[in-house]
Amino acid sequence: MAWLMIIAAGLFEVVMAYSLKLSAGFSVPLPSIGFAVSAVLSFGLLALALRSLEVGTAYAVWTGIGAVGTAVAGMVVLGENASPMKIASIALILAGVVGLNLAGGGH
């Protein structure tokens, strides 16, 4: 259950970052509210998951999902640059998250 919370928390982190972009410096109300709600949900789920997971691995997975998800959303939804170097870097982040989990990062 804790891993599902980390995954959900990471996805809310993506929503948080995307909402922050759309908020235009908190000048657009709806995305600003979306940012606040998704931030509370993301951190809240992370906090709950940390009751039973190691902090280093859980945090790395949470930020990895957020970083990869936000980068992919930027490329797919916002038309940001999708260079081979950016895609390779995303793959390295994913490899790091998988490696941490294989190293025994959970209970």
Side-chain angles (χ1 to χ4, degrees):
M1 187 65 156
W3 284 113
L4 291 177
M5 285 189 271
I6 288 292
I7 292 167
L11 295 174
F12 279 116
E13 187 181 2
V14 175
V15 173
M16 180 181 72
Y18 185 69
S19 297
L20 184 60
K21 172 71 172 172
L22 296 180
S23 78
F26 299 114
S27 65
V28 182
L30 192 56
S32 298
I33 293 167
F35 166 82
V37 169
S38 56
V40 168
L41 290 170
S42 182
F43 283 102
L45 287 167
L46 175 62
L48 290 173
L50 287 175
R51 291 179 175 174
S52 60
L53 297 176
E54 293 179 0
V55 68
T57 303
Y59 185 77
V61 170
W62 176 69
T63 57
I65 291 169
V68 168
T70 301
V72 170
M75 290 184 284
V76 172
V77 179
L78 300 174
E80 295 177 354
N81 178 30
S83 70
M85 179 63 103
K86 186 181 270 189
I87 293 168
S89 297
I90 289 170
L92 288 171
I93 293 169
L94 289 172
V97 168
V98 169
L100 281 169
N101 282 302
L102 292 175
H107 289 95

